[in-house]
Amino acid sequence: MKPLILGEYRRLCRHPLAMTLAVLFVLGSLYCALGSQSSASASLASVRHNIEDVAQGCETTLNTPEQKTACRKDVPYGLKTLRRYEVSFTEQGRRAANGQHPVAALTWTTKLATSVPGLVLVVLVAAFFVAGEWSRGSIVARLLHEARLGRLLTAKAVAVWMWMLTLVAASSAVTATAGVLYARSAFPLPSPGPLGRVLAETATVLLAGAAVLAGAAATAVVLAALIRLPLRTALVGMVLLLLVLQTSGIPGVGAWLPGGALSDLVGFGGVDSVWDHLWTSTDPSTAPALLRAVPTLVGIALLCAFQHHRSRTRDLV
């Protein structure tokens, strides 16, 4: 099985579409990271500047004692409001600063890969790498080499998963390098936190992201094997992704559907302006995210079983 997986992985890495999408993802991730850091840094600097202006404004801009007295009465309320903004912008800056950290950059890229941009890549790659073999007829040669379709599709799903993990690692390295060499000085931000906290958070997000990408790869490959036409597979995959997005906020059940479970498993907060701005916040649930992912896993298993049954009851090609 290992040689089959490695062979499919090498073929995927040489696929023109996969190489093009990989470059676009790396550049897009870097652009989003720098844009997020720039916005967070500017917002934090602005609110801190406003705090200084409010604190000093009564003494520097007003002349009469009556005006100064009235101004001082309004200062506590104004400062309290600005302090709330400062806390919010500081937390936003801490998250954006992940892109400036050699380790936490993995958190940034993993969340982007498990949100809409990364899942679109999985759908497109599976559509043209798997379904494309049926439309071109090259699947015949593949089945002559490996007659068991289930093993071949499993190898392809693992190859797509490995390709996404490689892409996450490469994109994280590019983002972290740009963050350390350029963005830290250009966009000052609070530290993401102590090294222990960063390592724990990164490990958690990376494991959750790897699980999400594995499920996405399996689903996309099975869809491609069922539909067997690249463009139609891509269209169905996009519609399915849209349904996942739209159903994640359904009251009462959204947290148990794929979108809600994915959102909580990876740690989307519904407030970050790049990776999860399309995910609808779900209702709070006391059930663990891993438990709420069980219906999604059952659905993927049923889809795989249906594909296996269908491949046994009709011609493979």
Side-chain angles (χ1 to χ4, degrees):
M1 189 67 178
K2 183 178 178 181
L4 182 61
I5 292 174
L6 293 179
E8 293 297 326
Y9 175 70
R10 287 192 292 268
R11 292 179 63 243
L12 177 56
C13 290
R14 295 194 297 265
H15 196 284
L17 177 65
M19 292 189 291
T20 302
L21 292 176
V23 172
L24 291 176
F25 181 83
V26 171
L27 295 178
S29 177
L30 178 60
Y31 176 80
C32 290
L34 294 178
S36 177
Q37 293 165 32
S38 174
S39 174
S41 179
S43 298
L44 189 56
S46 176
V47 74
R48 287 175 175 173
H49 178 72
N50 288 338
I51 289 174
E52 293 180 1
D53 285 348
V54 169
Q56 300 174 2
C58 295
E59 304 300 329
T60 59
T61 61
L62 302 175
N63 297 321
T64 66
E66 292 78 8
Q67 289 175 319
K68 290 182 180 181
T69 301
C71 176
R72 292 191 188 101
K73 291 181 180 180
D74 295 332
V75 164
Y77 175 77
L79 285 178
K80 185 178 180 180
T81 302
L82 290 173
R83 293 294 184 190
R84 287 200 301 266
Y85 282 116
E86 184 183 22
V87 171
S88 175
F89 289 152
T90 299
E91 179 59 23
Q92 178 184 350
R94 189 191 69 79
R95 291 193 300 269
N98 285 331
Q100 301 177 354
H101 195 280
V103 177
L106 276 169
T107 298
W108 168 269
T109 311
T110 301
K111 288 192 173 185
L112 191 66
T114 51
S115 186
V116 175
L119 297 182
V120 167
L121 257 64
V122 173
V123 170
L124 293 178
V125 167
F128 289 90
F129 179 61
V130 180
E133 292 194 339
W134 265 280
S135 65
R136 295 190 305 268
S138 59
I139 190 66
V140 176
R142 302 299 302 152
L143 290 174
L144 289 175
H145 179 266
E146 174 52 66
R148 288 167 291 185
L149 180 61
R151 280 172 57 88
L152 181 60
L153 292 180
T154 299
K156 288 182 178 295
V158 175
V160 172
W161 178 67
M162 292 171 56
W163 179 78
M164 283 299 299
L165 293 183
T166 303
L167 185 55
V168 167
S171 182
S172 299
V174 172
T175 300
T177 301
V180 172
L181 298 181
Y182 166 71
R184 279 187 180 180
S185 57
F187 313 120
L189 290 170
S191 170
L195 181 59
R197 173 183 171 182
V198 170
L199 289 174
E201 182 178 307
T202 301
T204 301
V205 172
L206 190 58
L207 288 174
V212 170
L213 291 175
T219 303
V221 168
V222 171
L223 281 178
L226 288 171
I227 299 173
R228 302 185 176 184
L229 293 171
L231 292 178
R232 192 174 296 176
T233 300
L235 178 60
V236 172
M238 296 303 175
V239 171
L240 183 61
L241 179 57
L242 180 62
L243 289 175
V244 169
L245 288 169
Q246 294 300 316
T247 58
S248 64
I250 297 179
V253 298
W256 291 85
L257 296 177
L262 184 155
S263 175
D264 292 339
L265 189 64
V266 180
F268 293 152
V271 293
D272 298 303
S273 59
V274 177
W275 53 63
D276 58 345
H277 64 286
L278 292 176
W279 295 94
T280 304
S281 299
T282 59
D283 290 337
S285 175
T286 57
L290 288 175
L291 178 61
R292 288 186 277 117
V294 170
T296 302
L297 296 177
V298 172
I300 295 174
L302 291 175
L303 184 64
C304 293
F306 174 74
Q307 192 281 326
H308 178 70
H309 174 74
R310 189 180 183 188
S311 69
R312 296 185 62 182
T313 55
R314 77 171 195 180
D315 292 336
L316 296 180
V317 295

